[in-house]
Amino acid sequence: MRVRRILAAVIATASLAGVGLTGAATATAATAQGASSYVTPSQCKQGGGTADLTANVCKGGTHDGETID
């Protein structure tokens, strides 16, 4: 009986934690798609890209296509 209560509490806690993580991931994805982000030339380089200052765009890496501020 005690094992069932503990197991139920663990499952309930995991379920609540999963909802929180899913909500955070959804909010992050919405921000990444909806708003244009700005990166510095050093952030572009740290992400593996090249800062194209004539077009103000980061080319390649993790910040590919983002505007350079």
Side-chain angles (χ1 to χ4, degrees), residues 31-32 35-44 55-58 63 65-69:
T31 303
S36 61
S37 65
Y38 296 95
V39 295
T40 63
S42 63
Q43 287 174 327
C44 178
N56 289 336
V57 175
C58 181
H63 298 290
E66 293 184 28
T67 305
I68 293 178
D69 186 25

Side-chain angles (χ1 to χ4, degrees), residues 11-68:
I11 291 172
T13 303
S15 296
L16 291 174
V19 169
L21 293 175
T22 303
T26 303
T28 303
T31 303
Q33 291 175 354
S36 61
S37 65
Y38 296 95
V39 295
T40 63
S42 63
Q43 287 174 327
C44 178
K45 290 177 185 176
Q46 287 174 355
T50 304
D52 182 2
L53 297 179
T54 57
N56 289 336
V57 175
C58 181
K59 293 187 177 181
T62 57
H63 298 290
D64 187 34
E66 293 184 28
T67 305
I68 293 178

